[in-house]
Structures are given as C-alpha cells and as structure tokens.
Amino acid sequence: MRGAFGKFVLCAVLLTVLLGVTGCWNRRELNTLAIAVGMGIDKRGSEYDVSIQVVNPQVMDKKSGTNRSETIQFREHKATIFEALRKMTTVSPRKIYLSHLRILVLSEQVAREGINEVIDFISRDHEARTDFYIMVARGSSASEVLNVHTQLDNIPSIKVFDMLEGSEKAWAPTSTVRLDELIDALENDSGQSGVLSGVAVAGNKKKAMTQENIERIRLPGVLKYSGLAVFKQGKAVGWLNEEQSAAFKFIMGKVKNTVSDVPCPAGGKLVLEIFDTTSAMIPKARGGELSIALKQKLFANIGEVSCGIDLLNESAIEEIEKRMEEKHKRQLEETIAFVQRKYGADIFGFGQSIHRSYPREWKKVKANWSEAFRELPVTVSAQVTIRRTGTINNAAIPSS
Amino acid sequence: MLEQSSKSPLPLSLKETTEWMKQLLGNSCDLIVREFKLGYEGAPRAAMLYTDGLVDLELVQLFIMKPLMELDGPPRASDSRGPGTNGPDGKQEPYIRQLVEQVLPTGGVSEIRERDGYVNAVLTGYAVISIDGYSTAIAVELRGWEERGVDEPSTQTVIRGPREGFSENIRINTALIRRFIKDPKLWIESQTIGRSTRTAVSVAYMKGTASEGVIEEVRRRLSEIDIDAILESSYIEELIQDDFFTPFPTIFHTERPDAVAAGLLEGRVAILIDRTPFVLMVPALFVQFFQSPEDYYQRSDIGSLIRILRFLCFGIAMFVPSIYIAITTFHQEMLPTSLFISLAAQREGVPFPAFIEAMLMEVTFEILREAGIRMPRSVGQAVSIVGTLVIGQAAVEAGIVSAAMVIVVSITAISSFVLPSFNISISVRMLRFLFMLLAASFGIYGIIIAFIALVLHLSRLSSFGVPYLTPFAPLYWSDQKDAIMRWPIWAMRKRPRMIAQSNRIRQRKGGPRG
C-alpha cells in the first residue's frame, strides 16, 4: 500500500511540475487557425502594407462544392510589420498562423529601401519556420503576386513554392533563397550582399487576378520566375538576367541539373544536359595580391542534336566538350565582371572564402572590401565531360 | 459440521454412515446411496455412495457392483499379511484390504478411514463403498463426466503448428504436456487449493533447468493462498503476482501445450489449474507477450520481421492517437504543409476539440469491442453493421468527427489486435487513454514525460524475482537472439540466462548446415 500511495504522490508531483515547466504552452485546435501560406510586403508611404494569404479550409474540403476562393487575402498597413499583422485580427476571425508560410514576397520598393526590418521580424517571430522562399516581386506589387489565380495548385503561394522548388532542380537560372540562406548570405563577410529570386506576373495582369484566369486552358496571366535581385548593404541594387543567374548558380555550385546549348562546328546547335557539377572556389594570396580561382567540372549527356555531327567520332565529342568549356568560362567571367563593375556586391561569397583561407590578409581588405571586390582578379577554368549520347548515337534522321 | 468431524473416524454402522452423509449434504439429490449385499451367504450389507454425474455408471456396474454382488465366498485370507488387527467390533480389518486386493479389478482404489476423506472422495467423483461393521471405506476412482475434449485453442491461433489446446481437465492437460516432454526430469507437483472448490493445482517444471528459487517461490506463494474458491487461473494469477499496481501482466497464460512445453524447456514453471484450459507460466518477461509459438514454427527471417511488426503495432496502439492529438493541437508546425491543410479541411466544422473527438471515437470503439464479445452470436452482424456504417461513416458525414480521426482510431484498434497476448493489449488499451489525456494537456512534452515514467515503471517490475525487462535491462547479449528478433534455431544454443540459471546448454554443437 505504501508503494501505491508513494506512486500516487509521485504522479501528482510530476503533473504539478509539468504545469510549471511548460515554456510554450499553446493549445490551438486546427479549426481556430488561419493558415497563412503567403505573405506579401509592400510600402504605402512610410508604412508597411502587409498582405497575408490564408487557406480557406472549407473550400479545400472536397465535399463542399462551392465557387468560393481557395484562399483569402487579408491586408493591413501600419508603421511596422508586426503591428500590421496584429491589426489584422480586426479583420480575420481566426488567429493568423505563420508556421506554414511558404513564400514571402517583397515588393521591389521594399527591397530597394532595405530588407533588414523585414528579416528581423520574420526571424525573430517564434512561429515562422525558416523553410519558406523569399522573393522580390518584379514589375508588380507583392499583394498582386499573391492575388494571381493559379491552376494545378489552387493555392498561389504553394504553386509558387512548388514551381521554384521544381525549377531549381532542373533549370540553372532558377535559384531559391530560404530565410536561413538569406540571413547567412547577408551576415557573412560580403558587406550584406546576397540575392533573392524575382517573381513576376506575366501576361494579362488584370485578368490574372480574377476567377476568369483559371477558367481557360491557356491562362491569361501566370506567375513566373524572373531572375535574381542583387542586394548590397541589405538593399536591392539591381537584377541579374537569366544567363547571369545561371552563372551565379554555377559559381555557388548549386546546379543539380540543367541544359545548355552549344554551337556545332558545322553550324546549328546541340543541347547538353548537365547532370552533375562540382565547383571549387580557391582563394589565393600571392605577394599580398588577392585573387580567386574558380574550378568548374561539368558532367553532361547529349540531349538534343540539331546539326550535322558524327557523334561516334571521339574527336567530335571532344570538340563539343571544348566548345562547351569555352562557353561556360566566358559566361561565368562575364557575369563576375558585370557584378563587379555594375553592383560591386560580393554575392558570390569571395570575401568569406578569403577570410577563411587568409585571415591575416582579410583583415587588411575587410574595411574597404566593397572596393577591393570590384578589382579582385578572378580566373575561371572549366572542364566538361560528356558521358553519354542518350539512347541513340547519331541522329536518326540527319538534318540537312 | 465438516470441521468438527474432519479428523474423526468413520462410524462402524452402515446406517450411521449413510445417515451422516445424507445429513451432511442436506439430502442433496445428486448424492446417490446404493445399498446392497455382498454376494455370498452371510456376507455383510454394503452401500456405495457417489455423486451423480461424476462417476461413470457403466464402469461402476462392471467393476464394482458386479464383482461384489457376485462374490461367491469371503475372500481368502492372505497369510503373508499375518493375522491382521482386530477391528473395534472384533471383526478382522484385513477383510477390506482383501476385497481391494482380490475382488475389485480397478486401478485407482484407496482405503478411507476418516470422515473428512470420505466426504471429499464422494464429492470429487469417487465411488465410495462402505461395508457394515467396518470403519474403513473403499474409494474407487471411476470418474466420468461429460467434458469438452481437446479442441483447437481459440486464443493464440497459429497457421503452422499443433492444433491441440488445453481442456478443462487438469489430468488431460498434464498428459498433453507429458506427450511433448517424455523426460523424467519433468516433475509435476500437485495440491488442492480452495476450501469449497478444492481445485487441483499442479506445478510443473523441468528439474535441474528451472531455477530452484523460482520453484520455491511458487510453492510458497501457492501455500499462502487461503480462499474458498478458485474458479479460473486468474484467481491464482491475482493472488500470486508480484505487483498488483501495474497495468502490465507479470504472469503469462496460454491455452497451448506447445507453448507450455517450450516454456518448461526454457526453465519456466507452469501452474496448471483444474477446470480451466489456461495454464500460467512464470517468470513472465515483457518480450514474452510479443512472442507467438508460431515465431518458432515459421522461418526465422519471417519470424523476426513479424516480431518487429508486433513491437511496431504496440507503439502504434499506444501512441498514435496521443501523437495525433499532440501534433494537431500543439505542434502544427511539424506537419508538412499540404497534409496540414488537408487535416485542417477535414477538421472544418467539427465542433469538438481533437481530444474530445478522439475520446469519443476511442470510447465508441471500446463499447463496440465489448459488445462484440458479450452479445449473443446471433446478433453479431447487427452490431458490426451499426459499428462500421453508423458510427464510422455517419459520424464523419455528420461532421461530428473528422475522417482522419476515424483512420487514427481504426489503425490503433487493429494494431492492438496484432499482439499475440490478449493481456498485453489490455495494458495498451488502458495506457492509451492516459497518453491521450497527457497529449491533450501538454502536447508531445506530456507524451515524452509519460513515456519516461512508463519505462521507469517497466524496469521496476519483476516476475518471480526476474526483472521484467530482461534481456534489455539487465542487458544480456546472448538472450537478444530470442527477444525482438528470432534467430535461427541452430543459433540459439543456450537457454535464456535469467530463466534457466543452471543447465543452460541447449545444443552442444550448433551452426548452420552446409
């Protein structure tokens, strides 16, 4: 009996202690939450104009066939983002739940004026995770981006998320940036430089924001990835185009799979599917002169041939490899030169790499890195290996 | 009255004896007194007393009545016995012994001199013969009654393996075990427990393999029982188990002779109880409740996988509803977004919190399960229709519970049926509600705390001196071969360490062939 009583007392004590030690005691039923999947931040005068896209679960429940929208947008403006979000409780019947945020869209204006406040709020808030993609709306407001009706995935934010995720794996120009990656890039020795993906509304902008958009086979307006926004000192300074974006991703060694065309010796084009890349960034400090050597290795298959070439001939393959190497080298060099000249933003992380290998030298250049970066000599070497020619060798029907 | 006359000798007079018995039993209609006269001239009167329905009348007629009534003279005095002692009335007592030795051709015959033994013999199905003028009665064991034969066990069913199950008769049960183990080292001790039921209880073990300490402990605990009735093995189980304040069984029970034989050979002690097909086995370990005899009858690879599946199901049955509650009410950020939205969509319009919803379904399921066991077989279909259609589908359509909750409760229910021992799944059923309550109050934190408490509790338990979590805590590497996994028979060369403390070698040479 003593044992039983002792156990009872122990249980009671444990339960009481339990009550006291729970730090984040927060019980919420699923149907009291407004699940925010997208967040857009615009500027209205000096105030932040925050739009939140929440899922409408009643519509997601397939049984109830309604013509109501799958998502709802709440919008409020206030001097700070947090205030604006809290003010949203005056319009939203449910608590806005940020943990499942998929995309955070910043308007170009917000990006140009500085994203530090936004980053601070979103990383300080305990609810938000860090696995959503952050992007800059190009040519439209963030709110408009969240308003586009989408097909295949009815929730625009999830559609954008999935699109970026899929494209990032198969198309070199597409880069995704998550919150932790962005903070990482802005915080390291780059003078707060980094990139964010750009997203634009392509096609008929007005129709894109109506139900009409999803009633057609050819959507009048779609959300589209469009290049990378370059940040310096936490502010957007300009854009990289498609080619430059691809080069950026190659330099960062993040290309998983992509395609690239090469001019054939006899005219016409040949497409290589690059399925594996390695990228090495080697900082050098010879006689106080800092420089960076980039070594790229590309492994490719031949994916499409639209020129007359004998693929069974080894020297022809070698010729293609050589041309691809040249093209790749040129593309990377041009991009680096462009970024150095035009933006002077160390988005590639050259500074960090020098800091790691040559901390003493880094101390000397640290103060005016942004100037030193502009003058930094970068050499690029590329090595392309063609592994396979696909399921056929020479073209079945030779092009004339 | 029985107590008063318990040790006193039987009366000499036949009339006195029969009257005494009739009075003692309150003229119960099943006490049959058949008076007759021994066959030869001048023989004394006799009476046969028995309980109707407990003796085989045909055999009684053939082996008692016929020889006695056709006796053509007094049995010859056997010289070797000497002159014999004189009875109180001067008649020779060896007369009874001579009858036993020369006239009665049956096996189980004993002489009774005390009233206590007399009553007992009559009530346990002996045919008892009293002869006028002698204070010694003859009890002949010609028991015979309607009985369920050896059937296929209805619990612990197997696909491959013997189909015999224990029956209600302890003698048949010991024989079933003896048929598996023809070894003189299989010792079976017997005793009677229960003042009114006088239930025969046998303790079986392999001498030299079973731990003497455990055997002694079993004897001691059985001898301490002082109760009027033992109706089922559970009476004994509750009276001798180590710890009452635990949801976990610390005594194993089975209906299968092969399981008992295997247990005995490992060094366990079996307790057989008359009138029940369930045999108890100690010491019982936690892992034992996850093992089915079938594990050893199928190949070891599939046996191991199925065992792992059982542990998995144990986890599912115990934790899934509570984890579901915890995640959907506390840790929504843990779910993938699309799953989260889908769950949220299902929860739309459900009026109850997830915990109430889960309790509603769990309790409904428990009601259905209990109804399924208790109701008459003929209405079974009605209940299953009501259960599946009305409760399951209609509750979802009416928006009282979400479809996901029905899935959670169903998988939980089915998982609990996977466990081969019914009593461990009862533990799971009870603990599940505790976990759900803690999950609803404190989220995953509560589940973890309760889980830690559960592990502590389990490691504190023991069964007849053997730690319950053996072979994990204390850890025995060699016993891991037959815990979560079932190694090939050739690899299990030694008996479990905590069970068979001496004589541990099973196979002197072990190893795969070829």
Side-chain angles (χ1 to χ4, degrees), chain A residues 4 7 15 18 21 25-31 33 35 55 57-58 61 94 97 99-100 102 129 158, chain B residues 245 328-330 332-333 335 337 340-341 343-345 347-348 350 353-354 438 440-442 445 449 457 460:
Chain A
K7 198 176 295 171
L15 285 174
L18 260 176
V21 294
W25 196 87
N26 206 355
R27 205 182 73 86
R28 306 156 292 214
E29 290 297 329
L30 286 186
N31 40 13
L33 297 176
I35 307 159
V55 178
Q58 274 140 345
D61 194 358
R94 296 180 180 186
Y97 183 62
S99 288
H100 282 274
R102 301 281 75 194
R129 297 195 289 202
I158 294 181
Chain B
F245 293 98
T328 55
T329 52
F330 286 90
Q332 291 97 344
E333 65 279 357
L335 293 165
T337 302
F340 179 55
I341 291 172
L343 287 178
R347 290 270 305 141
E348 258 335 285
V350 175
L438 284 169
S441 321
F442 308 107
Y445 183 73
I449 291 287
H457 173 72
R460 196 190 63 90

Side-chain angles (χ1 to χ4, degrees), chain B residues 433-486:
Chain B
F433 288 96
L434 177 74
F435 275 98
M436 279 161 63
L437 188 70
L438 284 169
S441 321
F442 308 107
I444 285 188
Y445 183 73
I447 298 178
I448 298 291
I449 291 287
F451 179 70
I452 292 170
L454 181 73
V455 172
L456 289 178
H457 173 72
L458 278 173
S459 49
R460 196 190 63 90
L461 287 179
S462 66
S463 172
F464 284 79
V466 176
Y468 198 49
L469 284 185
T470 314
F472 307 124
L475 183 70
Y476 293 119
W477 284 112
S478 70
D479 291 4
Q480 301 297 327
K481 290 175 181 176
D482 192 15
I484 291 177
M485 310 282 273
R486 201 282 275 174

